[in-house]
Amino acid sequence: MAFLLSLFLGVYLAPLALSELLIDVQPNVISEELTPKLVINCSISNNQVQQIDTIKSLSLARYNENIKKFEVLLALEVSTLNLTQYVQFQRSQIGFGNMYISLTLQEPTQSDARVYRCNVTGDDADGINISLVNKKEVKYETISTPVLDEIRRLKKDADKNQCSSTKEEIMDKKKQRSKLSFVGSSEVINEFIETFTLTCSCQDSNLHSDTNYTVEFMYIFHETNGVIATINKGQTVVTAIQEVGSNNVKGELSDEKLHESYLQVTWRNLRSSDSGKYFCGAHVIGSDGRAERLNEMVTIQVKLPTFEDLVNVIQKLLIQANDDREILQDNKQNIKSIQNELRNNQDNVIKMYKDLDNHEQNFKTIKKDLDSNQQNIKIINQDLDNQKQNIIRINTDLDSKEQQFTRFNKDLDSKQQDIIRIDKDLNATEHNITRINKNLDSKQQDIISIKQDLESSKKDFNEHRQNISIFKDMLDTVIYNLSSSLTDVKQELTKGF
């Protein structure tokens, strides 16, 4: 009985055990310069949690020793899959989807060794709000100084070996280490006198070789000044800093795998307030719908220029002023030469005016000749008009003759058709006469044969006639003899009675 009860409870509670709030950290012990990355996963197994019927949100937080409470890092709204990031990280990768959040910290430090909490909120069957949590601690393990020195020495040796590699190999290794590249033109900028450029780039081929990823959103953010610039998929770059200006912001989100997406900001006249940490973030979505957020950080120092810096700037300005002065001298010489050319051109223009006056007189003479020629042309035109009228009359006569000729041709065609029909009729009549002659010849032969038959029949008839006469004579003789015999018989019979 106890066995059956335990079996029943095991079967009944198995689905509940599979539906729970999970938090996982890998690894759970980190060491400086030894742990390449720290991964924290917060998820809900089987898409449901005990006691909660409707799940609303999922969040990841970690304990802050300074404020003595948990600080929310990421929050996911389950119904819309809208992720909110509350804390910027130096180098990180964020993934999220249906009922899970994933945070990857690259090269974690001792400050990342804390207690991490996964929290899910929602309503039960009665509509009461419920919140459940699960925690895990990441510990920090101190490495002894000799071991740490040895690790650093090995890294230096690796860097030296890397220096012997080609530039392409170094770039490939850098791309393999980081999916998101964020660099500044310099780490230290002189206030007001130097130009500063920040470039954040992300190439699809660096994300995952077996999955196509699309960069949907990129931004550059300052820890105190806020958002510097943003770019969304299908939209232009937007900057929130007036000193930067839209002309100094560039960006593109590319769909091509081998073409990088980037966001670049350039501005002048930096102040000390622009010092600090700058963050670059990128929101990418894979072809399978999986979303990730990438983060990188650079630290920039804006310092007051030293006397030497100012001297260098003044020297550059003096050199530029000397260059400008030489350019001005050259321009003055050019202006003088242009003025001389203008004077020469003015004399040429005066000569041209005189030539134009002479040409004007010539034009007047030519105009008179043209007028007389025009009168002659009018007379010629009148003659041409008369000739044209004559030609029109001739054409009219020709048209009438042509019409008569056409009618005559039609009559000839008609007569020719009649002659053709008569020839056909004559040919047909000739054929009929020939056929009749043939029939007459045939009839004549038939008549001759009939005559011959008649002659033969006549001979036969005469012979039959003679034979009949002979037969008649014989018959008369027989009848006479028979009559005589009958008479004799009658007489004898009479005598007998």
Side-chain angles (χ1 to χ4, degrees):
M1 184 67 180
F3 173 75
L4 293 175
L5 181 59
S6 61
L7 180 62
F8 173 77
L9 290 174
V11 172
Y12 179 75
L13 295 176
L16 297 178
L18 294 175
S19 302
E20 59 181 342
L21 178 64
L22 302 176
I23 183 169
D24 179 58
V25 292
Q26 294 292 335
N28 56 3
V29 178
I30 61 175
S31 299
E32 187 176 0
E33 298 190 30
L34 188 62
T35 304
K37 63 181 178 180
L38 172 63
V39 180
I40 304 101
N41 289 316
C42 177
S43 61
I44 298 173
S45 63
N46 205 22
N47 291 336
Q48 58 183 355
V49 183
Q50 299 180 35
Q51 303 175 3
I52 298 179
D53 289 348
T54 303
I55 299 174
K56 292 184 177 180
S57 65
L58 182 67
S59 63
L60 177 64
R62 67 180 178 183
Y63 191 74
N64 191 329
E65 292 287 347
N66 296 327
I67 60 177
K68 301 300 181 183
K69 66 177 183 179
F70 280 92
E71 181 182 16
V72 178
L73 306 177
L74 304 168
L76 176 67
E77 187 177 346
V78 175
S79 61
T80 61
L81 290 182
N82 183 26
L83 182 72
T84 303
Q85 182 177 354
Y86 293 97
V87 178
Q88 299 290 336
F89 301 98
Q90 181 174 357
R91 292 182 61 193
S92 66
Q93 178 181 347
I94 300 170
F96 63 95
N98 187 22
M99 303 295 182
Y100 81 91
I101 300 174
S102 175
L103 173 63
T104 302
L105 301 176
Q106 304 290 340
E107 298 177 0
T109 62
Q110 186 175 359
S111 62
D112 296 318
R114 305 188 195 179
V115 177
Y116 289 84
R117 184 188 71 183
C118 186
N119 184 16
V120 59
T121 59
D123 297 335
D124 62 4
D126 297 328
I128 300 174
N129 186 264
I130 296 177
S131 177
L132 300 177
V133 298
N134 197 354
K135 304 174 185 176
K136 274 202 176 178
E137 182 180 3
V138 177
K139 297 181 180 180
Y140 182 78
E141 186 177 72
T142 304
I143 304 175
S144 62
T145 303
V147 175
L148 187 59
D149 291 339
E150 180 65 17
I151 292 172
R152 289 172 179 170
R153 186 188 67 78
L154 292 173
K155 285 187 176 181
K156 288 181 180 179
D157 292 340
D159 292 337
K160 289 180 181 179
N161 293 331
Q162 188 182 24
C163 292
S164 62
S165 302
T166 63
K167 183 178 180 181
E168 289 77 8
E169 291 174 348
I170 293 173
M171 292 301 294
D172 290 340
K173 290 178 181 178
K174 286 182 178 180
K175 288 180 179 179
Q176 291 174 2
R177 287 199 302 268
S178 176
K179 299 175 182 179
L180 190 66
S181 173
F182 188 39
V183 294
S185 57
S186 178
E187 293 183 357
V188 180
I189 307 296
N190 287 319
E191 190 176 19
F192 295 116
I193 63 175
E194 286 186 352
T195 301
F196 178 59
T197 300
L198 279 175
T199 304
C200 180
S201 61
C202 178
Q203 189 165 339
D204 187 14
S205 59
N206 294 335
L207 297 174
H208 291 283
S209 59
D210 57 345
T211 306
N212 291 327
Y213 272 75
T214 302
V215 181
E216 296 289 331
F217 174 74
M218 292 183 75
Y219 67 90
I220 295 177
F221 180 86
H222 186 256
E223 61 178 344
T224 56
N225 296 333
V227 176
I228 305 298
T230 62
I231 182 171
N232 285 292
K233 189 74 173 177
Q235 298 180 1
T236 57
V237 182
V238 177
T239 178
I241 305 298
Q242 294 181 355
E243 291 80 358
V244 176
S246 59
N247 294 330
N248 296 323
V249 181
K250 300 178 182 179
E252 179 185 5
L253 300 184
S254 176
D255 291 328
E256 299 179 8
K257 192 175 182 65
L258 299 179
H259 193 277
E260 68 177 6
S261 299
Y262 75 96
L263 179 61
Q264 186 181 78
V265 181
T266 301
W267 65 91
R268 303 174 184 271
N269 302 326
L270 269 76
R271 297 182 291 271
S272 58
S273 60
D274 295 318
S275 298
K277 296 178 181 179
Y278 287 83
F279 299 90
C280 172
H283 183 193
V284 299
I285 297 178
S287 57
D288 56 355
R290 182 182 178 86
E292 291 187 13
R293 287 193 179 183
L294 310 177
N295 292 276
E296 286 290 334
M297 185 195 78
V298 294
T299 302
I300 304 300
Q301 179 186 359
V302 181
K303 67 180 183 66
L304 287 172
T306 62
F307 180 75
E308 293 180 356
D309 295 330
L310 293 175
V311 170
N312 290 330
V313 171
I314 292 172
Q315 287 178 348
K316 291 179 181 178
L317 292 175
L318 289 174
I319 292 171
Q320 186 175 358
N322 290 329
D323 293 339
D324 292 340
R325 191 177 294 109
E326 291 178 357
I327 293 171
L328 285 174
Q329 291 295 332
D330 293 337
N331 289 335
K332 286 181 180 179
Q333 293 296 328
N334 292 331
I335 290 171
K336 288 181 179 179
S337 62
I338 291 171
Q339 287 176 347
N340 292 328
E341 289 180 359
L342 286 174
R343 291 191 189 95
N344 295 329
N345 290 332
Q346 188 174 6
D347 294 336
N348 293 329
V349 169
I350 292 171
K351 292 179 181 179
M352 290 176 66
Y353 274 124
K354 291 181 180 179
D355 293 336
L356 286 173
D357 291 336
N358 295 327
H359 288 308
E360 187 176 1
Q361 294 298 325
N362 294 329
F363 285 147
K364 288 180 180 179
T365 304
I366 293 170
K367 186 177 180 182
K368 290 180 180 179
D369 294 336
L370 286 174
D371 291 337
S372 62
N373 290 330
Q374 190 171 6
Q375 292 297 325
N376 295 328
I377 289 170
K378 287 182 179 179
I379 295 170
I380 293 170
N381 285 332
Q382 290 177 357
D383 293 337
L384 287 174
D385 290 336
N386 295 328
Q387 295 295 331
K388 188 184 292 185
Q389 294 296 326
N390 293 329
I391 291 170
I392 291 171
R393 285 195 298 273
I394 292 170
N395 286 331
T396 304
D397 294 337
L398 287 174
D399 290 337
S400 63
K401 296 295 184 182
E402 186 176 2
Q403 290 177 359
Q404 292 176 1
F405 184 74
T406 301
R407 286 196 298 273
F408 180 72
N409 284 333
K410 288 182 179 179
D411 293 337
L412 285 177
D413 291 336
S414 175
K415 296 298 183 182
Q416 189 174 2
Q417 293 296 327
D418 293 338
I419 291 170
I420 291 171
R421 283 196 300 273
I422 291 169
D423 286 338
K424 288 181 179 180
D425 293 338
L426 288 174
N427 289 329
T429 303
E430 186 176 359
H431 286 301
N432 291 330
I433 291 170
T434 302
R435 190 171 57 256
I436 291 169
N437 287 330
K438 288 181 180 180
N439 291 332
L440 287 174
D441 292 337
S442 174
K443 295 296 183 181
Q444 189 174 5
Q445 293 295 328
D446 292 339
I447 291 170
I448 292 170
S449 62
I450 290 170
K451 283 182 178 182
Q452 291 176 355
D453 291 338
L454 286 173
E455 290 293 332
S456 174
S457 298
K458 187 176 181 180
K459 289 179 181 181
D460 293 337
F461 180 74
N462 291 326
E463 290 177 358
H464 285 299
R465 187 175 181 183
Q466 290 176 1
N467 291 331
I468 290 171
S469 296
I470 295 169
F471 179 73
K472 185 178 179 183
D473 291 337
M474 290 176 64
L475 184 61
D476 289 337
T477 303
V478 171
I479 291 172
Y480 178 76
N481 292 330
L482 181 60
S483 177
S484 297
S485 298
L486 288 173
T487 302
D488 291 339
V489 170
K490 184 177 180 182
Q491 289 176 359
E492 287 178 0
L493 288 173
T494 303
K495 287 177 179 183
F497 288 106

